[in-house]
Structures are given as C-alpha cells and as structure tokens.
Amino acid sequence: MLALPRSLCRVLAAVCLLLAAGSGQAALDASANTDDHSINTPTAWWTYTDISPADLADRLSENNARLVEMEVVSVTAGGEPRFVVRMVANSGAYAVPGWWWYYDKTAADLTTLLNANNGRLVEIERYDRGGGNIRYAVVILPNSGSLARAWTYLLGVTGAQLASHIGSSAMRPIDLDTYGSGAGLRYDAVFVSNTGADYRTFQWAGNQTAADVTASVGSFQGRVVKLDRQEDGRYSFVQVRVSGSNATAWWYRYGFTSLSAVNNYALQFAARPVDVSVYSVAGTRYYDAAFIDNANASTRRIRSAFAPFVTSASQTPRGIFEAYLKRVDGAVVVNLNGTRRAETASALKSLHLLHEMKQVEAGTTFLGEAFYYYNYPPFDSTAPEAVCPNPLHETAANRVASLLEPSMDQMMEISDNRIARAVVIRAGSSFAPLNTTAANAGMTGTTLRHNIGCAYINPISGIYSPSTLRNTTTAADLAHLYEGVWNRALISSTHSAREKFLESANPRTGAWAGLQTIIDQEAAALGKASIAGQFGGIVKRWSKGGGYGTCLGLAGNPAECGQKVLVYSYTGLIAFPARNRVGQIALRYYSHGSLVSDVPVANWSSTEQENYAKAYGSARDELFRDEIRAALATW
C-alpha cells in the first residue's frame, strides 16, 4: 500500500547501520510474544490521550487489554505523569499472561523490578517528574516460557555507543527513544536477539530529516516500526525489510493534529498503530505514527477496491470511505472503517422509515391515516422530490394530501426528500425523536441534523455549515438497522409494521448488472458458469441508496460554496442462494452498508465525478464477492 521514492540512505551527522546478523528467512510474527510491531493478525486496539495512571488502569481492565506503548505528555504539580497510550486486546495471538506496567521508577528501581519479576522490557519512557528528577514508565513481559528472549537495554547512551552495542551483540532495537539534541542527543533503547524467529533484516538511524526517513525507507524497501521525533525536529527510527513472508501492508505519516486523527487514519485503512510519537511545536501538539495491517482477507480486498479514493503517492484518503458486511445473526465479514461517522445522503431515509414503523407498532400511528407533505421551489422542477425542503414554503397552498403507507413507499422508491421532511414535521418539526429512535435501535454513530436533500446548507439563510448541519451515520449502523428489522429485534415479528418496512425498502429479486458480473466471474472460476444466471436470478435484496454533490462552504464567506464534494451510499439486506447437503436452496442473509463521503472534486458534473461514481459502484459490488463465491461453492 505504501508508495515511496527509492533512493540511497543518507546520513547527516548520524549513524545508519544495515544489519543482517543471524540467519533464516524473516517472517511476520504469529504472536505478540516479542512485541506487537510485526504481527498483522486482526485484533481490537485502543488509544488514549492525557490519561492518568488510575484511568489507564481502569481502561486496561474494561477492555481486557494489554499496554504496548506509553508516551508522557505532561506531569502534574505533584509529579504524576499523564500519558498517550496504545493498548491491544490481551487475547488470541496478542495474549500475554502475567505482564506488568509501572511508572515513577528510577533506573535502579528498574533493575530491581526486572530481577524480581524475571521480566524483560518492551517499552520504556523517560520523563522528568519535576526538578530534574528523572523517572521511567515501563511495560514488562515475563521472560520465561514462550516469551523468553535474549535481550538487553541501554539508558542515556550516545549514537556511537548504541551502534557499538548493536554491532557487537547481534541485537535488534524494539524500542528507541531520544532526549537532548546535537552533541547532547542521547538514546534509551530495548533490544532482543536478532536470531531465529525474531530475525529481521533491519536498519536504524538517528538525526534524520523527514525526507531522509522517506529516502531510506524507499531504498531499503523497509517498514517503519519505531519513529521518534527528537527535540530538534529530526528523527531517529528503526525499520525492517518488508519482503517475502515479512511483507505486509503498512503506512506512516507525520503531523497528525490529534490522536483522533491518528485513529481515523488507522481505521480508514483497517490498520493498527504500532508506534505513536507525540511532540509540540510552538505550543501545538502533533503526532507522528506508523501503522500495520489489521484487516482480514475480505477487508483487505475491499480496501484495494477503494484505491481510487486514495492519493497513491502520499496515501492520503480523499474524503471518507466505508464498507461493512455482516451475516445476519452471525459474524462480521468486512469492516473497513465501518464505524466512522459520515454524511450518507438518502441512505439515511431508512431511519425515517423505521421511525414511522415504530409508531405503527406502538399503535400511535396507522398505515391508513392521512399523511401530508409539501411542495417546495422550484415549483417547475422536473424532479420535485429532489429539492432541499425550505420550511418557509410549508403553507396550505403547497400542502399535498396522501396516506402514510404509500408515502413511505414514495420516500424509499423515488427517494422523496419531501416525504422525509414530512416525517420530521410529524415528529414535532424536530430531529430529536428520530435520533431517539436511532439510539434505541443501537445506532450509536447516527445523528440527524438536517433535512435530507439540503446537505450542509441552511435553506433559509443560504449559509453552509457542515459542522452543525452534517447528518452522521455509519455503514455499520445502517447495516444494523436492516438486520434488526429482519431478525425482529427492532420490530415485532407479529406486527404489520415489520412487513411494511420490508415492502417499502425497495424489495427486489435478482442481481443487478454489476453484481451479476461478479457472479459470472466467480461461477466461471469454479467451473460452474452454466448456473450463474440461475444463481443471480434467485438473489433477494432490500436496499436504499443515496448520493449528491454539496459544498463545505468558504472560510470567511460561508454563503459561497467553497470546496465541492461528493457523497454516495448504499445499504440494506441481501440474500445469496446456497444449497444444503440434500441439494435444497437455503438463502444466506447479510446486512451491509458502504459509502464515500466528502470526496473533493473540482466540479460535480464532470469526468472526475463520473469516474468517482463508477469507482464507488465497483467497490460497492466487490463487497459481496467472497460471499458469492462461498455460496456458489455449495452448488
């Protein structure tokens, strides 16, 4: 995934060593017994900022997590540190029984703790608790059984001393931190023996510019595992060769303005941070980070399908993209950034439908009761359903009378913004009741703030305000809504409201063209081309899509468009036909959601826009490939 220029390693008043000590083929770790930098088995992970030791202990307990990195970002008047931390689930391939973490320890204390625990360091963080009193925060693993390693550590050494130690001991640094600058630059480091399963072809360097790091990574064909920003703004780093069985998707970036931005970047690529460096420039805090793949095979494939939405040279996402696929009452199959809040346009009308059907279920509304909506200017529009509803035009002269049941069909089938607005009016002209419906449905990432069709603009004032008017939901939330209706968790199985929801949610039998193409390809690959048409004709689906162009507004003049952006979304329920042991067809049901949001474009109606629409459509269809293959395999 990382595209970088290739050039020779450049060393500026520093050391740059390539070590090939040891023997054997480098490979990714199967467990986190050494450290967590070279394992890409998917796992849960968490980061926290400005966290106290007491709160850190609570988060570790709540998450059943293991601490893997600590950065001290401040110290209280009483000398207690505040941390930025990384943690991983202490389970599966990342499980380590009997590990420890400490803070406020002197160098002498470390020796005592290590001896008492028969432990080895994997993380060490130096800080001043006040008055020049140096302390250390550390993470220690048991150095016994499968966790046992030959290892060492050094405190406060020069670059020359560090290089000498590495060269004479065949050790590889797994933690590397600096303090001071210039002639006063010093290193704290933790090492493991670079032999056996722990062998890596690696390189380390200090006093590097960001450009130097990039050049070294390119020429070495490496993967950054430690990236420490020195006090003078230069970098010390460690990289390992990323090739053969040690190859993996990975990323690194400088200058995140918040830890949330670090997390968002990681989740966008289904990655996990393996190193976070925190520093301040002119009183503003920044974060640099290195990441490794944290996706299963299906999610990796979908990540590649969204490549058109990534600037390849810098690996910068163009907007937000998400994909989520879950077997109904079963496991999550794909989760690419699936819980990121984003604008989804009309796909969120599924919430409006659920809200009305919940009222029907409660007996406060009836399918046959009167339903009123309004026409809005331009009144001569050829697509009146697509307008942005302006409450100033909700007058008797513009009112249209209908019934609830056909109105819900109209809202979903032709994506009528007027009907969605009418649902809000029926809720007291407030979004709060619909947001309560979302919360009660477990849609924790969903908040309705504007009438669908208006996007980020206030139709009365003409002011763009994405920060206050953006509707937010997630691919996972939208999928959860459909699964909850289908499995009767959200609407009772005996009530007509559930049946009506599914009738309004664009029910179809048969695959659409793009999906049928994938069915044809997978059937042919399995030697079953003759059944592709039959298979596709049995597919069942319920869905709601959405899309539009809107504006982020212009700084200083929010009535002007500013940056134009695109939004596309598609969510629902789909069923693929599989055969059981006696050859009978049994449908496999999946809930799903996919979207791209706030994708910047020069113009809405352009070749650029068309290319993005096609790219999104292709990625949306690819979401189902693995499950199609699995179902076809049963025929």
Side-chain angles (χ1 to χ4, degrees):
M1 291 295 293
L2 187 64
L4 291 169
R6 299 178 183 273
S7 60
L8 295 176
C9 177
R10 293 174 292 171
V11 185
L12 303 179
V15 181
C16 183
L17 293 177
L18 172 64
L19 295 203
S23 61
Q25 175 64 47
L28 288 171
D29 290 336
S31 73
N33 285 353
T34 302
D35 59 21
D36 76 312
H37 300 154
S38 291
I39 176 172
N40 66 5
T41 303
T43 191
W45 56 272
W46 301 265
T47 63
Y48 298 94
T49 187
D50 295 286
I51 191 170
S52 70
D55 288 340
L56 173 54
D58 288 343
R59 301 296 86 75
L60 288 166
S61 177
E62 290 170 6
N63 297 328
N64 185 29
R66 181 164 60 84
L67 190 60
V68 288
E69 184 177 8
M70 310 163 73
E71 293 264 326
V72 175
V73 291
S74 64
V75 178
T76 68
E80 185 176 80
R82 294 294 181 264
F83 301 106
V84 167
V85 300
R86 285 192 305 114
M87 57 182 72
V88 296
N90 193 27
S91 60
Y94 297 79
V96 172
W99 63 279
W100 307 271
W101 69 279
Y102 301 96
Y103 69 96
D104 198 31
K105 300 302 179 184
T106 65
D109 292 335
L110 294 186
T111 300
T112 301
L113 286 170
L114 291 166
N115 290 336
N117 292 324
N118 185 27
R120 62 179 175 87
L121 294 169
V122 291
E123 169 70 9
I124 186 166
E125 171 72 0
R126 178 186 189 272
Y127 67 97
D128 187 338
R129 79 182 310 275
N133 292 308
I134 301 305
R135 295 292 187 270
Y136 295 92
V138 296
V139 178
I140 300 175
L141 301 188
N143 199 35
S144 58
S146 62
L147 295 165
R149 299 289 187 273
W151 76 285
T152 59
Y153 73 102
L154 296 174
L155 301 178
V157 298
T158 65
Q161 290 171 319
L162 181 62
S164 176
H165 179 76
I166 292 173
S168 63
S169 64
M171 290 279 176
R172 173 169 60 86
I174 61 172
D175 189 33
L176 185 66
D177 295 311
T178 63
Y179 61 93
S181 61
L185 180 66
R186 295 294 183 269
Y187 294 86
D188 295 334
V190 179
F191 310 84
V192 294
S193 177
N194 197 35
T195 57
D198 284 329
Y199 172 76
R200 297 285 183 276
T201 301
F202 76 97
Q203 187 185 69
W204 78 274
N207 265 334
Q208 304 289 287
T209 66
D212 294 332
V213 176
T214 298
S216 294
V217 169
S219 62
F220 184 67
Q221 300 181 51
R223 171 170 59 86
V224 173
V225 293
K226 293 296 298 184
L227 184 66
D228 184 76
R229 184 179 170 100
Q230 301 169 185
E231 292 177 11
D232 58 6
R234 289 176 175 266
Y235 288 90
S236 293
F237 76 104
V238 180
Q239 62 175 323
V240 298
R241 178 144 310 148
V242 57
S243 61
S245 57
N246 193 40
T248 181
W250 75 282
W251 304 259
Y252 77 101
R253 286 181 69 85
Y254 304 101
F256 291 103
T257 56
S258 68
L259 192 59
S260 293
V262 173
N263 296 342
N264 285 340
Y265 188 88
L267 293 171
Q268 180 61 92
F269 292 106
R272 174 174 58 84
V274 295
D275 190 64
V276 178
S277 180
V278 189
Y279 57 96
S280 293
V281 177
T284 299
R285 185 184 295 177
Y286 296 94
Y287 302 78
D288 300 334
F291 309 86
I292 197 170
D293 193 9
N294 196 53
N296 63 21
S298 292
T299 302
R300 288 171 186 160
R301 185 177 54 75
I302 295 304
R303 181 175 62 207
S304 296
F306 278 101
F309 297 95
V310 179
T311 303
S312 59
S314 63
Q315 289 295 284
T316 302
R318 293 182 61 81
I320 298 168
F321 50 90
E322 301 183 24
Y324 185 88
L325 181 65
K326 182 181 181 297
R327 182 82 177 263
V328 170
D329 294 327
V332 174
V333 179
V334 172
N335 186 1
L336 177 62
N337 204 24
T339 58
R340 175 78 180 273
R341 289 173 173 260
E343 173 68 49
T344 59
S346 290
L348 193 53
K349 287 172 182 168
S350 302
L351 173 61
H352 296 65
L353 176 60
L354 176 66
H355 179 77
E356 287 292 352
M357 292 307 101
K358 291 296 292 182
Q359 311 312 305
V360 171
E361 181 186 35
T364 58
T365 297
F366 302 93
L367 293 174
E369 74 175 40
F371 185 94
Y372 299 97
Y373 63 93
Y374 296 89
N375 284 320
Y376 302 90
F379 295 108
D380 58 352
S381 171
T382 58
E385 73 280 358
V387 300
C388 167
N390 186 333
L392 295 180
H393 294 275
E394 289 164 358
T395 65
N398 295 332
R399 191 168 74 164
V400 179
S402 182
L403 299 174
L404 176 62
E405 184 171 7
S407 295
M408 294 299 97
D409 294 339
Q410 183 174 325
M411 178 180 69
M412 298 293 283
E413 289 175 6
I414 66 171
S415 203
D416 199 320
N417 297 334
R418 300 169 300 174
I419 305 297
R421 166 62 184 167
V423 171
V424 175
I425 294 173
R426 285 163 59 87
S429 294
S430 169
F431 299 123
L434 279 83
N435 287 329
T436 297
T437 295
N440 291 340
M443 300 172 68
T444 58
T446 299
T447 305
L448 190 66
R449 298 184 181 90
H450 74 73
N451 292 302
I452 296 177
C454 296
Y456 308 150
I457 193 169
N458 182 319
I460 298 175
S461 67
I463 298 297
Y464 290 98
S465 181
S467 62
T468 61
L469 296 177
R470 180 184 279 114
N471 286 339
T472 56
T473 188
T474 72
D477 272 7
L478 293 171
H480 176 76
L481 186 158
Y482 279 88
E483 178 172 12
V485 171
W486 183 257
N487 68 13
R488 300 168 174 82
L490 295 183
I491 304 178
S492 169
S493 61
T494 60
H495 205 284
S496 60
R498 176 180 177 272
E499 180 181 354
K500 180 57 194 171
F501 181 101
L502 296 171
E503 287 178 358
S504 294
N506 298 310
R508 300 287 188 275
T509 297
W512 63 87
L515 193 68
Q516 186 61 51
T517 296
I518 291 177
I519 293 170
D520 294 344
Q521 292 169 350
E522 292 300 322
L526 291 170
K528 302 178 179 182
S530 62
I531 68 169
Q534 180 187 1
F535 182 97
I538 302 173
V539 171
K540 293 187 179 298
R541 50 194 171 95
W542 298 258
S543 64
K544 182 71 186 81
Y548 46 51
T550 185
C551 299
L552 298 184
L554 187 66
N557 189 7
E560 295 294 327
C561 178
Q563 177 62 62
K564 297 180 176 69
V565 295
L566 299 174
V567 177
Y568 297 115
S569 58
Y570 183 69
T571 184
L573 189 76
I574 194 165
F576 298 118
R579 291 192 180 275
N580 60 23
R581 292 180 179 178
V582 295
Q584 298 171 321
I585 291 177
L587 294 176
R588 295 177 177 176
Y589 289 85
Y590 299 84
S591 60
H592 63 86
S594 62
L595 65 93
V596 293
S597 188
D598 286 353
V599 178
V601 291
N603 292 291
W604 295 307
S605 298
S606 63
T607 300
E608 181 186 29
Q609 178 269 327
E610 292 174 1
N611 289 340
Y612 277 133
K614 291 177 183 177
Y616 169 68
S618 177
R620 174 203 63 196
D621 298 347
E622 281 290 335
L623 178 60
F624 306 104
R625 183 181 290 275
D626 291 349
E627 304 315 302
I628 288 170
R629 183 188 308 122
L632 281 166
T634 67
W635 283 59

